[in-house]
Amino acid sequence: MAVVDRSQTSPDGTLTLEVYEADDLVGFRGEAWHTHGDLLVPEYGRTANEARDAFFDSVVADGVVICVNVEREPPHRITVTDDPDGEILAAGQEAIVLRLWSGKVVGGTPRA
């Protein structure tokens, strides 16, 4: 089992973002979505570790939109997105909420 190097829970207590240094991975606890530091270069940093850490910081500073599929039982399908409008179109009949780390809702489908 991978060891969590860094972890933070959202102010509303619904999300926990974790870094697994050994795997160079960032993801939400209990959710399938994750990314790796090397995929975040050069947008977030020059090296995988730098990019991974900067991405983590950006999420918890409300700099990244989080998409939550609210129709599914936990684990919900939680992802991050740089295309909120695309997420709404892709949701089809499923209800989603677009939110920031702080819990502020920034969009979603009418059913959400």
Side-chain angles (χ1 to χ4, degrees), residues 1-6 18-26 35-37 48-49 52-53:
M1 180 174 194
V3 175
V4 175
D5 182 58
R6 189 174 175 195
E18 298 178 327
V19 171
Y20 299 88
E21 182 131 4
D23 297 328
D24 188 32
L25 178 109
V26 179
T35 191
H36 297 268
N49 287 346
R52 180 202 62 222
D53 292 342

Side-chain angles (χ1 to χ4, degrees), residues 7-92:
S7 178
Q8 189 161 339
T9 300
S10 61
D12 64 2
T14 61
L15 304 172
T16 300
L17 189 64
E18 298 178 327
V19 171
Y20 299 88
E21 182 131 4
D23 297 328
D24 188 32
L25 178 109
V26 179
F28 295 100
R29 181 183 297 157
E31 299 293 333
W33 181 90
H34 67 278
T35 191
H36 297 268
D38 61 340
L39 299 175
L40 300 167
V41 174
E43 184 177 356
Y44 288 93
R46 294 176 297 145
T47 68
N49 287 346
E50 184 180 285
R52 180 202 62 222
D53 292 342
F55 176 77
F56 183 99
D57 293 341
S58 184
V59 171
V60 301
D62 281 354
V64 176
V65 176
I66 302 165
C67 179
V68 181
N69 181 315
V70 296
E71 288 190 2
R72 296 188 184 177
E73 293 298 317
H76 302 292
R77 195 195 82 206
I78 298 175
T79 61
V80 299
T81 184
D82 58 2
D83 182 13
D85 292 334
E87 292 290 341
I88 291 170
L89 289 174

